[in-house]
Amino acid sequence: MAISTRQGDFVESYHKPLTPELERLRLENENAGIPLILKETEDMLSMLLSLKKPGHILEIGTAQGYSALFFASRCPDACVVTIEKEDSMAEVAELNFNNSPCAGRIELLHGDAEEVLSNHIFKNKFDFVFIDAGKTHYREYFSLAEKLCNPGAIIVCDNILISGWIYDRTLPGAKRHRTNVKYMKSFLEYINNREDLTVALSSSGDGLAIIKLDD
């Protein structure tokens, strides 16, 4: 684990904030212990977005809005729809969106992600999806989001390594999160066995599953 931490620190030392506003918001979130994408993850997402150039982005798991603002800033011609269940998180995210130049291109849907994805009428199909919410529900989120995507869309799932617990049960906290590990392993096996998907697993950040739907 020490080597992994040193590698991560080295990679993150090359991270360049996309905007001063995002740099400030990242620092605020980190100091307050608010979950947000790691710098290494952000850089990987930035590369994927530059290649895909999505017009419509869906995010499942808003927190206080950092990643949604990153998506909107990185893709100035894209519209972002983001879903958040927790009242306190959604309230702060809405304020952050309203105070951003990207405000008109970000739509926050407040509610349980499975219910929103099942019942909300979306105006457009999505080209890019980012899943970063309850780890026991990744398969449900993926299956619902997949139906809302254009052919060839990319779906990225964050935190698939779950702090390393998914491959090392001796790490502190592993037993307490064994349910998350069980469901995540099942999800990874599911997408890996789908012949109609192109799947790449990356150790960037806390692990990413990068999935391309059939064209």
Side-chain angles (χ1 to χ4, degrees):
M1 292 301 292
I3 294 177
S4 177
T5 300
R6 289 177 61 192
Q7 288 175 343
D9 290 344
F10 174 77
V11 171
E12 288 195 350
S13 70
Y14 285 87
H15 172 76
K16 296 179 180 179
L18 190 60
T19 68
E21 291 75 22
L22 284 172
E23 183 178 21
R24 175 189 56 77
L25 184 57
R26 172 177 285 282
L27 185 60
E28 289 178 0
N29 280 196
E30 289 176 344
N31 289 339
I34 304 300
L36 76 164
I37 54 175
L38 298 174
K39 294 176 181 177
E40 186 178 354
T41 301
E42 180 177 322
D43 292 342
M44 178 66 78
L45 290 170
S46 183
M47 176 61 71
L48 292 171
L49 292 167
S50 71
L51 294 171
K52 181 61 180 174
K53 296 180 174 60
H56 297 278
I57 299 171
L58 171 65
E59 176 185 51
I60 303 171
T62 312
Q64 292 191 356
Y66 178 89
S67 48
L69 287 166
F70 163 73
F71 292 139
S73 299
R74 185 64 183 83
C75 305
D77 296 322
C79 293
V80 179
V81 175
T82 183
I83 305 171
E84 177 56 46
K85 181 179 181 179
E86 291 190 27
D87 296 345
S88 59
M89 292 289 191
E91 183 178 352
V92 176
E94 192 71 71
L95 288 173
N96 287 332
F97 297 157
N98 289 338
N99 291 328
S100 165
C102 304
R105 295 187 291 111
I106 303 177
E107 179 183 6
L108 173 62
L109 300 179
H110 185 194
D112 177 81
E114 290 187 56
E115 293 180 5
V116 173
L117 293 170
S118 298
N119 301 315
H120 185 79
I121 299 176
F122 294 91
K123 298 177 183 178
N124 299 281
K125 292 279 190 177
F126 297 100
D127 311 299
F128 193 96
V129 178
F130 184 60
I131 300 176
D132 186 14
K135 305 304 175 262
T136 59
H137 296 276
Y138 268 31
R139 179 164 176 174
E140 289 79 7
Y141 297 150
F142 176 84
S143 297
L144 290 167
E146 181 183 15
K147 299 174 183 177
L148 302 171
C149 286
N150 285 313
I154 292 176
I155 300 179
V156 179
C157 303
D158 199 10
N159 303 122
I160 63 166
L161 298 182
I162 319 179
S163 299
W165 297 320
I166 198 164
Y167 58 81
D168 189 347
R169 296 185 180 182
T170 67
L171 292 173
K175 290 183 179 179
R176 189 170 69 252
H177 293 87
R178 59 183 177 272
T179 300
N180 284 342
V181 169
K182 173 186 174 182
Y183 278 91
M184 184 62 75
K185 282 187 174 180
S186 176
F187 169 67
L188 296 178
E189 290 172 3
Y190 167 72
I191 58 174
N192 193 57
N193 289 329
R194 287 264 307 261
E195 296 293 337
D196 58 331
L197 302 175
T198 301
V199 179
L201 302 185
S202 169
S203 59
S204 293
D206 191 28
L208 296 172
I210 304 168
I211 307 150
K212 181 181 178 295
L213 306 184
D214 265 358
D215 292 315

